[in-house]
Amino acid sequence: MDALKEKRSTLRSAFTRSANNLEALLAATQLKASDIEINYEQISERFKQLKECDTKLLELLQKENCTSDEYEKEYITCESYEDKFIALKIKVKNVLAGNAKNGTDLPHYTDTASKCKLPEIQLPTFDVNPREWLNFWTQFQKIHEEASIDERDKYQYLIQSTVPGSTPREIVKSFPATAKNYKKAVEYLKERFGKESVLVQVYTRDLLQLVIVKNKCELSTSYDKLQTRIRSLDSLGLTKDKYADIFFPLIESTLPIDIVKMWDRQRHLVQDTQGKSDLDLLMDFVKNEVDSEFRVKISREIFNTGKIIKKVSILNLNLLCQLHVNC
């Protein structure tokens, strides 16, 4: 172990020198892309060797049954070097993100604030409702897959993305807030609330509910509700191939009887030129009907507005005539 510690001490010194050189380059008035890239490759290689050495030493400490305080102290020191490397990695990435060519001078990088003040994007929150899982995970997945964010920070984002007092919040907080436990917490949430078989049942029941209830609402409203369910099922890969044949009669049953009759009369005229299923063709037909209704509605509103203006104009003209006669 002593030999390994001595090797690590040498690697840490080399890493620190490379880090100082790279920071000096990034702080220079004129930045040269080639020099930055060379220094970054050097520090990346040294950090890789240092990381391997740290891992071996931590494993040896565990085997020698060291105290928890000793292990934690050693672990925190190792993480400080990793944090340093991540910070430098992000700085280099930001500097080289421009259009600079290899070996050319770059203007000094400054992190200027955007002139356009955009509202902050709020973190999606998740409670126990399985219908909200897809919306939640679609947004949070960006944080989950971002390599530049430390997993300890991801853990805090995960806590903030659950509703206080909800079951997901209690589950997340039940794990000690360490980088290693972040992935465990995510996997537990996905297993508990994001299981595909459960989500399929939820959205299929929602679709069946539309068939059973059959609310007398506008075609556009029915279409929007159907599209919401279909998109959810499509995100789970369940509107393709044989599944489309299962959902087709259910969705057809939710439509108003006059629309079904029109569809039945015209379906033999529909030419499937793109390999679409009956479900896709049906939804295309309904969409065309919704668009047609919308155009008719707009034209009527314009026509009615014109009639109102015409009546008002005639009324005003009559009043003027009466005033003229009285005078």
Side-chain angles (χ1 to χ4, degrees):
M1 181 180 286
D2 290 338
L4 196 57
K5 284 185 177 181
E6 187 175 345
K7 179 182 177 181
R8 185 181 65 176
S9 178
T10 304
L11 289 171
R12 283 181 174 178
S13 297
F15 174 84
T16 302
R17 286 194 300 271
S18 296
N20 292 337
N21 290 337
L22 185 54
E23 285 186 333
L25 282 173
L26 294 173
T29 304
Q30 289 293 322
L31 305 180
K32 201 167 185 179
S34 59
D35 291 343
I36 293 172
E37 289 172 349
I38 290 169
N39 275 264
Y40 178 69
E41 287 299 320
Q42 290 174 348
I43 197 173
S44 297
E45 184 60 32
R46 283 164 188 167
F47 175 73
K48 180 181 177 182
Q49 295 174 11
L50 179 59
K51 184 74 174 176
E52 291 174 355
C53 193
D54 283 336
T55 302
K56 291 178 182 178
L57 273 170
L58 290 172
E59 289 175 353
L60 286 174
L61 285 173
Q62 285 182 324
K63 290 178 181 178
E64 291 187 357
N65 298 321
C66 67
T67 64
S68 58
D69 290 339
E70 289 174 341
Y71 185 85
E72 185 177 2
K73 183 180 178 181
E74 189 69 31
Y75 183 81
I76 291 172
T77 305
C78 295
E79 281 201 328
S80 66
Y81 283 88
E82 185 171 358
D83 292 342
K84 181 72 172 177
F85 175 74
I86 291 172
L88 286 171
K89 179 181 178 182
I90 293 172
K91 286 182 181 179
V92 170
K93 181 180 178 182
N94 288 337
V95 170
L96 299 178
N99 297 323
K101 295 181 180 178
N102 188 30
T104 60
D105 288 339
L106 293 168
H108 181 64
Y109 172 77
T110 54
D111 189 11
T112 55
S114 174
K115 294 180 180 178
C116 181
K117 293 288 184 180
L118 297 174
E120 292 184 3
I121 298 176
Q122 297 294 322
L123 283 172
T125 55
F126 176 66
D127 56 15
V128 76
N129 186 356
R131 293 173 181 82
E132 297 300 321
W133 172 261
L134 289 178
N135 292 332
F136 158 75
W137 183 247
T138 298
Q139 294 297 319
F140 190 82
Q141 194 172 14
K142 299 175 184 177
I143 298 175
H144 179 67
E145 294 177 351
E146 180 54 58
S148 64
I149 302 177
D150 186 82
E151 293 198 341
R152 290 167 297 182
D153 294 333
K154 290 181 182 180
Y155 201 105
Q156 295 304 315
Y157 286 131
L158 184 62
I159 293 174
Q160 295 175 33
S161 297
T162 53
V163 176
S166 66
T167 301
R169 170 66 68 87
E170 296 301 320
I171 289 173
V172 173
K173 293 189 74 174
S174 67
F175 291 89
T178 63
K180 187 179 293 186
N181 283 331
Y182 164 72
K183 290 182 178 179
K184 293 180 181 178
V186 168
E187 289 303 317
Y188 193 95
L189 284 179
K190 291 171 73 174
E191 177 67 21
R192 178 77 182 276
F193 303 105
K195 190 179 292 185
E196 187 174 289
S197 59
V198 175
L199 295 177
V200 170
Q201 293 177 32
V202 169
Y203 291 118
T204 303
R205 286 193 178 101
D206 286 347
L207 186 59
L208 288 171
Q209 187 68 20
L210 287 178
V211 177
I212 296 170
V213 175
K214 272 194 173 182
N215 293 324
K216 293 182 178 181
C217 53
E218 292 185 359
L219 180 62
S220 59
T221 304
S222 298
Y223 175 77
D224 292 337
K225 289 181 178 179
L226 283 171
Q227 280 289 52
T228 300
R229 273 70 172 181
I230 290 173
R231 288 192 188 102
S232 299
L233 291 166
D234 185 56
S235 65
L236 298 169
L238 293 179
T239 56
K240 308 298 180 186
D241 304 328
K242 61 181 180 181
Y243 294 107
D245 295 332
I246 297 173
F247 291 124
F248 171 76
L250 294 177
I251 292 173
E252 190 181 47
S253 301
T254 65
L255 299 172
I257 188 65
D258 56 331
I259 297 297
V260 175
K261 288 180 179 179
M262 290 173 60
W263 159 250
D264 193 56
R265 286 195 296 267
Q266 297 184 31
R267 65 187 302 178
H268 68 281
L269 301 175
V270 177
Q271 302 235 341
D272 180 12
T273 58
Q274 299 178 346
K276 291 185 176 181
S277 64
D278 286 344
L279 177 61
D280 292 328
L281 294 173
L282 173 61
M283 294 308 297
D284 287 345
F285 172 79
V286 177
K287 183 180 183 301
N288 289 334
E289 292 300 313
V290 170
D291 292 343
S292 178
E293 283 191 2
F294 181 73
R295 288 192 294 270
V296 171
K297 183 179 179 181
I298 292 297
S299 65
R300 285 177 178 174
E301 286 178 354
I302 295 173
F303 178 73
N304 290 335
T305 302
K307 286 178 65 178
I308 292 171
I309 293 173
K310 185 176 180 180
K311 286 181 179 179
V312 171
S313 300
I314 293 172
L315 181 61
N316 290 337
L317 183 61
N318 291 333
L319 288 172
L320 288 173
C321 292
Q322 290 178 8
L323 287 172
H324 180 72
V325 170
N326 291 334
C327 292

